[in-house]
Every structure is written in C-alpha cells, then in structure tokens.
Amino acid sequence: MGDLKSTFVKVYSVLKQELLEDPAFEWNDDARQWVHKMLDYNVPGGKLNRGLSVIDSYKLLKEGRELTEEEIFLASALGWCIEWLQAYFLVLDDIMDNSHTRRGQPCWFRLPKVGMIAVNDGVLLRNHIPRILRKHFRDKAYYVDLLDLFNEVEFQTASGQMIDLITTLEGEKDLSKYTLSVHRRIVQYKTAYYSFYLPVACALLMSGESLEKHIEVKDILVEMGTYFQVQDDYLDCFGDPATIGKIGTDIEDFKCSWLFVKALELCNEEQKKLLHENYGKADPENVKKVKALYHELNIQAVFLEYESKSYEKLITSIEAHPSKAVQAVLKSFLAKIYKRQK
C-alpha cells in the first residue's frame, strides 16, 4: 500500500506541473507561485482515501491482473480529480462555516495574504478538473461519461450542502425540522455521492463499463456513505479528538446530527425541553448537558445497534450482486469503514 501511495503522490506533482504550464493562460512568476502554493496547501493533505480508492477499485475490477504503467497513471489522475473536487468543496465550506482549522492547520482563507481570494481559488480548483480530464482522457471512449459524472456529482454535492445550510437556518428557529429523513437526504447528497460513488464510478468507466448498468452499485455505495456519516456524527461527539484530528462541534453548530435526531425520537417531554434549551449553544456548560442527556438515553448503544444492522444489510446487498469483482470492490470499501475510530 505504501508503494501505491508514493506512486499516487508522484502523479500529483506531474498534474500540478501541467496545470502551472497550462497553455490557455499566460503565466508570470507571481501567478505560478500563487497556484503552486495554493495547490500544495489544499489538495494533497488529508488521508487521500477517495483518490486511492479509484486505483484500488480498478485493480479489483481487473481481478488481480498486473496493471500497466499507463493504467496506474490514469487511475491515479482520476483519483486526483476527486481530491481536487474535495479541495474545492473544503476551501469554500470553511469560508461558509467560518471555520478555523482544517487537517490540523489554519483554513486557507485564514492565511493573512489569502482572505477572500480563497473564493476565486475555489473556482480555480474546480476548473482544474476538466483541464486534467481533457489532457489525459480526451481520446478515451468514456471521456464524455467522465465529464458528465463529475458534473453530476458536483451538482448533487452542492445541492446537499444547500439543504444542510438551510436546514441549520430553520433548525435554529424550530428543531422539529430535524428528522431522520432530512438527515438522510443531506448525507446522501452532501457526502455519499462524491466520497463513495464517485471513486467506484471512475474505476467502472475506466474498465469500459457503462454506469447505467450499475444502478444497484450506486445504491449500495450511497447506503454505505450514509452509514459512514452516521459514524462521523457519532465520532464528532464520542470520538477521541487526538485520534480523529479535530474537535467536534456539531452540538454547538446546531447541526442536524444523527445523534440529535435519534435523541429527539427517544426522549420524553422534559428531556426534549432540555435538548431545545441547550442544543446549538457555544457555552461548554450547554454542550455538557446535551452530552449528559445522550448518555442518559444510551445513544451509544443505539448507535452500536444501528451499526451492526447496517453492516448486515450492506453485506446482504453486496452478496446479491452478480459480479464477483464488483462484490470485491464493495467489500473492500466496507472493510475500510466498519468499526472505524477516526
């Protein structure tokens, strides 16, 4: 795996160099330096799971045959397109959420010389994706499908972000707006499509498969993405900040969190009142009360039951798939996230 990661990281340098010499723009040193620094700060950080998943999935679809150098390069390039998409969302998300840190360093827009230039940097990151695709995939039979896929997933993610933002706005006035079905919609659109479906869809297209034929694969991956986000909500509250790399703020931020929605379902009138009075307040005392109520309602046990039920259901759907190679791809995804601590 270490070997695969270092190959993957080398491809980043190649793509970056190509973008810094893109013939559609007359570069000067200042522009080149800015983009160079902006890319290094925002794109290659993080766990790179989404990008590496493209190579992993493609390998499994090829059922263990040795990949050519070109195949590894192309699968890596698609993986990096997903990391670029992720960087674009995060740079803009951090501004919208007024966040302070990301991946253990200050958010890009917080840097003294950056500020609101970060908005345009987000737009640039988004525009790099079709540049990479055009340079390396233009002669491929699946080129149009790739462009279409990235456009579709970006639209779904931005729409999910919108429901998240407007629900939070409504939630501040009326917490009864937070329901499991609302939580599910937000998660499906905001996270599941780009983090789970997109890497596998890229690998399928590279393998010459049509995405229309694989609707059930999309459904399973979206289901997996939902399960992943519920874990995330759980870890935000009960995870160890040293392990997950950030301090959770879902309670303070009024988030439509799975824990909160579950607590609303389970609590009596008195507890509901306590939730309404303390949820979405920045004061540590309020947060403590919400967490104490979660303990009282035994939300941890409720989550563990949800986790094992989801796992069973996912395994059953995966094993119903006719292709062994596709099953292997889906199982490898599930193995990476089941019972994770970060």
Side-chain angles (χ1 to χ4, degrees), residues 23 38 47 66 91 96 143 160 164 196-197 305 314 331:
M38 185 269 289
K47 300 189 282 279
E66 225 14 68
V91 165
M96 288 180 255
Y143 177 54
D164 190 13
F196 285 80
Y197 174 59
E305 188 191 356
L314 283 163
K331 281 187 174 169

Side-chain angles (χ1 to χ4, degrees), residues 11-27:
V11 174
Y12 166 74
S13 306
V14 174
L15 299 174
K16 179 176 72 176
Q17 213 35 55
E18 290 171 351
L19 291 164
L20 294 174
E21 290 161 12
D22 195 315
F25 179 64
E26 277 186 40
W27 294 89

Side-chain angles (χ1 to χ4, degrees), residues 117-297:
I117 300 176
V119 175
N120 192 62
D121 289 331
V123 174
L124 271 178
L125 286 163
R126 165 66 185 93
N127 276 279
H128 284 160
I129 298 166
R131 314 299 297 167
I132 296 171
L133 294 176
R134 184 175 165 202
K135 185 160 176 66
H136 296 286
F137 295 91
R138 203 174 180 177
D139 59 345
K140 304 285 181 223
Y142 53 87
Y143 177 54
V144 174
D145 293 327
L146 266 184
L147 290 176
D148 206 35
L149 173 67
F150 273 89
N151 286 335
E152 191 87 348
V153 169
E154 185 198 349
F155 170 67
Q156 288 166 319
T157 310
S159 301
Q161 170 74 347
M162 172 191 62
I163 342 175
D164 190 13
L165 295 167
I166 60 182
T167 306
T168 307
L169 221 72
E170 292 298 301
E172 289 183 22
K173 299 194 285 290
D174 175 12
L175 285 169
S176 67
K177 293 257 192 262
Y178 288 175
T179 62
L180 268 185
S181 62
V182 169
H183 179 266
R184 195 187 163 78
R185 273 186 75 211
I186 292 172
V187 170
Q188 178 179 346
Y189 287 102
K190 190 182 161 177
T191 308
Y193 282 109
Y194 93 95
S195 299
F196 285 80
Y197 174 59
L198 183 55
V200 176
C202 284
L204 284 167
L205 286 176
M206 255 191 83
S207 307
E209 295 280 339
S210 110
L211 296 180
E212 279 69 54
K213 264 183 36 199
H214 289 287
I215 302 297
E216 71 287 15
V217 172
K218 182 195 268 187
D219 295 341
I220 292 170
L221 285 160
V222 167
E223 201 51 56
M224 224 181 275
T226 308
Y227 161 64
F228 178 85
Q229 186 58 49
V230 173
Q231 284 179 313
D232 224 51
D233 290 356
Y234 176 80
L235 291 170
D236 185 276
C237 182
F238 295 108
D240 172 12
T243 313
I244 52 179
K246 59 182 180 199
I247 294 163
T249 57
D250 282 358
I251 296 174
E252 294 90 319
D253 295 341
F254 253 113
K255 281 289 185 229
C256 180
S257 155
W258 185 84
L259 303 177
F260 178 76
V261 174
K262 270 307 196 194
L264 268 190
E265 278 185 5
L266 296 165
C267 62
N268 60 34
E269 283 313 307
E270 197 180 316
Q271 292 168 320
K272 198 170 274 181
K273 197 163 159 280
L274 185 136
L275 258 188
H276 282 259
E277 282 166 6
N278 293 284
Y279 200 72
K281 305 247 166 65
D283 186 329
E285 279 311 302
N286 298 96
V287 176
K288 228 155 101 185
K289 284 182 186 157
V290 173
K291 286 194 177 178
L293 182 63
Y294 284 170
H295 278 292
E296 209 176 301
L297 294 168

Side-chain angles (χ1 to χ4, degrees), residues 55-73:
I55 314 173
D56 286 341
S57 303
Y58 183 70
K59 257 193 168 138
L60 290 167
L61 290 171
K62 289 291 162 208
E63 305 194 42
R65 117 172 135 60
E66 225 14 68
L67 301 187
T68 66
E69 260 180 54
E70 191 200 13
E71 286 176 307
I72 293 173
F73 180 86

Side-chain angles (χ1 to χ4, degrees), residues 310-327:
S310 296
Y311 184 76
E312 290 302 306
K313 205 171 128 193
L314 283 163
I315 285 287
T316 307
S317 332
I318 291 170
E319 289 179 345
H321 194 283
S323 154
K324 282 280 183 253
V326 171
Q327 281 193 30

